[in-house]
């Protein structure tokens, strides 16, 4: 150590052999968001002393964690890919392996891969106003501990270290990596076959010729059913209630038509713009004319299923379109699997699991050799790290969110949560750019900290993830809140966010503070005497 590092405000911090390592920026998470954010920050501020802390063994995040059959994107890759490095693959909805490779290649090409520190999980972050920096407690795991791809477990022991940073950017997603949602299923322990959760899919599981029951009806189940059927399984999707499923093209016709006819950058921008506009129009149409959208989805499903199929029972949810995320079936693969007889849908409640399968509330049963519990995610905000400001604990749940990227009262901390009604990366790219803007503004102003403060009377009426999905309802207490007024409202609209996060740089309701100031602007104990509250 013993080196000099430059902070976000352009100040100089001296480290010694007895002090923790200090960095300008720490990005937590080396998945799709973290790699994109780090690449943006390094491109805009090449002199940043930046590190990416990744709890797993590899780059890739979600796209390395999930290895179940058929895992793929449910957003088009022309918008799920980075704006600065457009997706060049042929598939509009890409396989998980291809997405993981894309993220890893992006990290290598942008220099982010050299900044990633593996098997390091941030368990706590403490803001110290007198130094205007975060003190991070980092838990380490030795290489290969727990086997390839092993996940962190609650309470797991390990070596810890301390580092500090001037700015903390959490790109940890919104769910627990080590544990999916596991509802109590009566009798599950009595089942004689294999019980599998998609979040921890065994690489050696052979399903050919076996009866597989997939419990669930969300995006994971809709992906798994046709993939398992292609592997020779006889598959039943057992759902308590239906989900809206839309057949979408596997390849984009415009991309195919433009390839080789116009310069590639022009084609990429045209296809990306088409998908941005298309997803926004589809969402607005669904919210404004839910009955028409529901009829359209049912009619499309009926056209792809055998004549007389009970679409109303199996594909008519109780909620309106886009109260929960729409499930995509590329090329209508789910409907084709059903039509071929390789798969079926059963809509019923589970009474109990026995040794040979599932007894249903209606009195029927479904026999099984394998049970797949595609029962959803467990919400985890900011990777579960404990937060405090000058020794006072902070719970993200209930805190107001400034532009959906900073929490009220937490200096120099931002986070990334993408869209629920469109591609995750569209918003992640905008947040990364907004953080780069903040760092630049802090340097120009000589500020040591930036903090969001809501005016009196601003109330958070809704969670930042405003869906009726089960995982959101289960995690409401953890989720930050949003108001009805800007900049404390989270737009699920790319064009509005483009204005709010990229074009509107006024920083309304932000306070830029001098080094050594508390979040309220008063001097911290032990701060240099020349520090005064920010105007």
């Amino acid at each position: 150590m013993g080196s000099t590092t430059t902070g976000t405000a352009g100040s100089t911090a001296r480290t010694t052999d007895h002090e923790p390592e200090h960095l300008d920026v720490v990005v937590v998470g080396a998945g799709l968001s973290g790699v994109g954010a780090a690449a943006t920050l390094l491109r805009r501020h090449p002199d940043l002393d930046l590190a990416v802390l990744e709890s797993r063994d590899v780059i890739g995040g979600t796209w390395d964690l999930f290895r179940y059959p058929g895992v793929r994107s449910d957003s088009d890759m022309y918008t799920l890919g980075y704006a600065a490095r457009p997706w060049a693959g042929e598939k509009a909805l890409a396989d998980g392996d291809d997405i993981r490779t894309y993220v890893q290649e992006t990290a290598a090409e942008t220099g982010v891969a050299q900044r990633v520190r593996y098997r390091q999980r941030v368990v706590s972050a403490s803001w110290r106003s007198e130094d205007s920096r975060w003190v991070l407690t980092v838990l380490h795991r030795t290489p290969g501990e727990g086997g390839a791809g092993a996940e962190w477990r609650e309470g797991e022991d390990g070596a810890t270290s301390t580092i500090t940073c001037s700015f903390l950017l959490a790109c940890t997603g919104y769910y627990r990596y080590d544990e999916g949602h596991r509802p109590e299923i009566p009798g599950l322990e009595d089942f004689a076959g294999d019980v599998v959760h998609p979040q921890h899919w065994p690489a050696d599981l052979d399903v050919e010729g076996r009866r597989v029951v997939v419990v669930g009806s969300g995006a994971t189940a809709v992906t798994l059913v046709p993939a398992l059927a292609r592997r020779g399984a006889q598959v039943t999707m057992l759902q308590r209630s239906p989900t809206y499923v839309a057949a979408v093209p596997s390849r984009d016709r415009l991309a195919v038509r433009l390839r080789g006819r116009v310069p590639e950058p022009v084609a990429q921008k045209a296809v990306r713009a088409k998908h941005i506009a298309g997803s926004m129009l589809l969402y607005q149409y669904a919210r404004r004319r839910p009955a028409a959208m529901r009829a359209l989805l049912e009619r499309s499903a009926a056209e792809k299923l055998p004549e007389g199929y009970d679409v109303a029972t199996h594909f008519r949810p109780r909620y309106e379109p886009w109260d929960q995320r729409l499930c995509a079936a590329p090329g209508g693969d789910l409907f084709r699997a059903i039509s071929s007889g390789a798969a079926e849908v059963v809509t019923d409640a589970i009474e109990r699991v026995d040794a040979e399968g599932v007894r249903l509330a209606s009195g029927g049963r479904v026999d099984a050799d394998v049970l797949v519990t595609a029962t959803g995610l467990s919400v985890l905000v900011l990777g579960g790290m404990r937060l405090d400001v000058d020794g006072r604990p902070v719970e993200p749940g209930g805190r107001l969110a400034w532009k959906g990227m900073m929490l009220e009262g937490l200096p120099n901390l931002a986070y990334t949560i993408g869209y629920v009604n469109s591609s995750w990366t569209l918003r992640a790219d905008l947040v990364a750019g907004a953080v780069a803007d903040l760092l630049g503004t802090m340097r120009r102003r000589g500020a040591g900290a930036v903090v969001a403060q809501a005016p009196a009377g601003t109330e958070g009426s809704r969670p930042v993830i405003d869906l009726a999905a089960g995982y959101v309802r289960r995690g409401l207490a953890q989720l930050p809140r949003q108001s009805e007024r800007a900049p404390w409202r989270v737009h699920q609209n790319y064009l509005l966010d483009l204005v709010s996060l990229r074009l509107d740089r006024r920083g309304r309701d932000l306070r830029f503070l001098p080094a050594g100031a508390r979040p309220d602007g008063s001097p911290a104990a032990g701060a240099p005497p020349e520090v005064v509250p920010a105007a």
Side-chain angles (χ1 to χ4, degrees), residues 68 72-76 93 214 216-226 237 239 241-249 282-283 286 293 296-298 300-301 304 314-315 317 319-335 374 376 420-422 467 469-471:
Y68 59 82
R72 54 167 171 76
S73 64
D74 62 352
S75 296
D76 69 274
L93 300 184
V214 178
S217 60
T220 300
V222 168
T223 300
L224 266 169
V225 170
M237 185 167 81
Q239 57 181 17
S241 58
T243 298
Y244 289 109
V245 180
V248 297
L282 179 68
Y283 178 77
M293 186 66 183
L296 177 65
L297 291 169
E298 284 190 27
S300 174
K304 296 171 177 60
H314 302 305
F315 290 99
Y319 57 87
E320 299 289 9
W322 275 115
D323 282 352
Q324 298 186 29
R325 192 174 174 93
L326 213 63
C327 291
D333 58 358
L334 175 65
F335 303 122
V420 299
N421 63 353
S422 189
L467 282 178
Y471 70 89

Side-chain angles (χ1 to χ4, degrees), residues 200-248:
H200 303 285
W201 193 273
D204 58 352
L205 181 64
D206 184 6
V207 298
E208 185 174 4
R210 304 178 75 185
R211 299 165 298 180
V212 181
V213 174
V214 178
V215 180
S217 60
T220 300
V222 168
T223 300
L224 266 169
V225 170
L228 292 171
R230 288 193 295 270
R231 293 191 175 195
Q234 182 62 47
V235 193
T236 299
M237 185 167 81
L238 176 55
Q239 57 181 17
R240 184 173 52 187
S241 58
T243 298
Y244 289 109
V245 180
V248 297

Side-chain angles (χ1 to χ4, degrees), residues 59 72 103 152 158 221 236 240 264 273 279 290 355 365 389 460:
I59 290 170
R72 54 167 171 76
V103 175
W152 296 98
T236 299
R240 184 173 52 187
E264 187 173 344
S279 65
R365 67 173 291 110
V389 174

